[in-house]
């Protein structure tokens, strides 16, 4: 199975972005992953929204005139997270477990319409004054996630191809638990001569993990985050958790863009084939989601 860890599952909302907080959350994630690994072969993907946002702030503080591109910042963030996940997972698994972290490039279409409509939130929350300053000083588009709290948004093109998929298959078939496609993968485009180059974007990690699950012919795909399930009419007086659904029952457009919509879309696309299960829910409920006792489980009936 492919298990995608949300960036906010690895760093809780409102927590300080410190090494200690990050490691504590990764350790908690590793325990949930190790529980799944007792009975299943797992491949681990993860988000990096808070972490890549922090690195962008650090780079801007070093030199406000030289902004580091998001593909390089993304590579830095997934190296950091991958190191922590691999180490804590090794500590949680029996001795001799084979693990590897692979920085994963993922191709996108340079003409993807997402480049004209940034919608993927990354980084920390800003108050209104700080958001205005970031918009003015850095030219960052911002979105108000909740009253008075803003986040930077960036383009989120669709993943098209994983150039390293053959290497990933070799590792998976050899019984290696691979941490890969971190942060949705490092976004790259291919020119007319076939050369790869990084591009300023952040691929949605759930869409990238869904492509990974498809390419590896996984039987299950779990997206673990900090919410307990997918909710219909979220944020209203009629909101209700969706505990189970067939792929055709859910429309991603009915859910918030940049957060739950990509998860629902990735889950429905993966579960469209008979025998496949997709699940969305809290990190600590991973096994229960797989077994239909928690979260939202999506499969053909």
């Amino acid at each position: 199975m492919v298990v995608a860890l949300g960036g906010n599952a690895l760093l809780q909302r409102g927590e300080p972005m410190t090494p200690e907080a990050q490691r504590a959350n990764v350790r908690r994630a590793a325990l949930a992953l190790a529980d799944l690994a007792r009975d299943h072969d797992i491949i681990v993907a993860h988000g990096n929204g808070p972490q890549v946002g922090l690195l962008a702030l650090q780079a801007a503080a070093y030199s406000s005139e030289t902004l580091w591109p998001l593909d390089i910042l993304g590579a830095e963030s997934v190296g950091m997270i991958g190191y922590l996940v691999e180490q804590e997972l090794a500590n949680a698994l029996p001795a001799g477990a084979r693990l590897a972290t692979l920085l994963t490039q993922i191709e996108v279409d340079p003409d993807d319409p997402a480049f004209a409509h940034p919608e993927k939130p990354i980084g920390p929350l800003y108050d209104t004054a700080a958001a205005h300053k970031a918009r003015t000083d850095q030219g960052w588009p911002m979105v108000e996630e909740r009253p008075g709290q803003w986040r930077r948004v960036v383009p989120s093109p669709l993943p098209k191809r994983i150039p390293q998929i053959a290497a990933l298959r070799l590792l998976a078939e050899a019984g290696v638990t691979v941490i890969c496609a971190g942060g949705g993968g490092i976004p790259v485009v291919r020119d007319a001569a076939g050369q790869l180059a990084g591009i300023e974007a952040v691929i949605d990690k759930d869409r990238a993990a869904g492509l990974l699950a498809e390419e590896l012919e996984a039987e299950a795909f779990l997206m673990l985050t900090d919410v307990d399930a997918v909710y219909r009419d979220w944020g209203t007086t009629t909101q209700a958790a969706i505990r189970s659904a067939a792929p055709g029952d859910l429309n991603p457009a009915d859910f918030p863009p940049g957060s739950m919509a990509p998860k629902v879309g990735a889950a429905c696309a993966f579960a469209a084939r008979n025998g496949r299960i997709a699940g969305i829910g809290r990190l600590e409920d991973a096994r229960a989601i797989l077994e239909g006792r928690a979260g939202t489980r999506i499969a053909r009936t």
Side-chain angles (χ1 to χ4, degrees):
M1 71 173 63
V2 170
V3 184
L5 302 174
N8 288 314
L10 295 174
L11 190 70
Q12 301 299 303
R13 295 178 193 270
E15 272 190 323
M17 284 191 283
T18 63
E20 294 78 15
Q22 181 72 91
R23 184 175 287 279
N25 283 289
V26 170
R27 184 174 295 123
R28 182 173 61 91
L31 293 174
L33 293 172
D35 178 50
L36 290 175
R38 289 204 308 265
D39 307 314
H40 307 280
D41 297 323
I42 66 171
I43 301 295
V44 182
H46 61 80
N48 70 339
Q51 295 81 5
V52 75
L54 173 64
L55 291 173
L57 286 173
Q58 291 175 336
Y62 172 73
S63 172
S64 60
E65 296 179 0
T66 305
L67 296 180
W68 284 77
L70 282 173
D71 60 309
I72 293 179
L73 294 176
E76 291 179 4
S77 71
V78 298
M80 172 181 68
I81 298 168
Y83 156 67
L84 292 172
V85 172
E86 181 176 336
Q87 188 176 81
E88 293 299 334
L89 192 50
N91 290 336
L93 289 170
R98 292 185 286 180
L99 300 102
T101 299
L102 184 68
L103 293 182
T104 313
Q105 299 178 71
I106 295 187
E107 285 185 50
V108 302
D109 183 348
D111 297 320
D112 191 301
F115 288 107
H117 304 284
E119 66 172 20
K120 179 66 177 174
I122 66 168
L125 290 167
Y126 297 82
D127 62 27
T128 300
H132 177 74
K133 181 173 173 57
R135 187 187 293 113
T136 302
D137 293 352
Q138 311 296 345
W140 291 346
M142 307 291 288
V143 64
E144 192 172 22
E145 285 203 331
R146 58 191 72 151
Q149 295 186 315
W150 300 73
R151 289 180 79 191
R152 179 188 179 189
V153 288
V154 299
S156 183
L158 293 174
K160 293 297 185 182
R161 182 172 174 270
I162 305 173
Q164 296 150 290
I165 193 64
L168 285 166
R169 284 198 193 99
L170 284 173
L171 290 167
E173 290 168 2
V176 178
T177 297
V178 188
I179 298 105
C180 60
I186 302 163
V188 297
V189 293
R190 194 179 295 272
D191 65 19
Q195 300 295 301
L196 291 172
I199 197 163
E200 190 81 352
V202 170
I203 302 169
D204 182 86
K205 72 101 181 34
D206 297 308
R207 290 177 173 136
L211 177 61
L212 177 68
E214 186 72 36
E215 292 288 340
L216 293 178
E217 299 182 348
E219 295 171 304
F221 174 32
L222 297 185
M223 285 164 277
L224 305 179
T225 182
D226 60 349
V227 295
D228 66 321
V230 178
Y231 279 77
R232 199 178 306 278
D233 300 329
W234 173 256
T236 72
T237 57
T238 60
Q239 73 176 34
I242 301 169
R243 295 303 176 187
S244 64
D249 294 340
L250 300 176
N251 181 355
D254 293 335
F255 301 91
S259 57
M260 194 54 74
K263 289 179 172 57
V264 171
C268 291
F270 177 79
R273 188 179 300 180
N274 280 334
R276 290 180 173 179
I277 299 167
I280 302 170
R282 296 189 307 174
L283 173 65
E284 53 266 39
D285 295 334
R287 179 176 289 275
I289 296 166
L290 184 64
E291 296 172 357
R293 296 183 286 108
T296 299
R297 193 172 187 266
I298 300 171
R300 291 186 64 176
T301 55

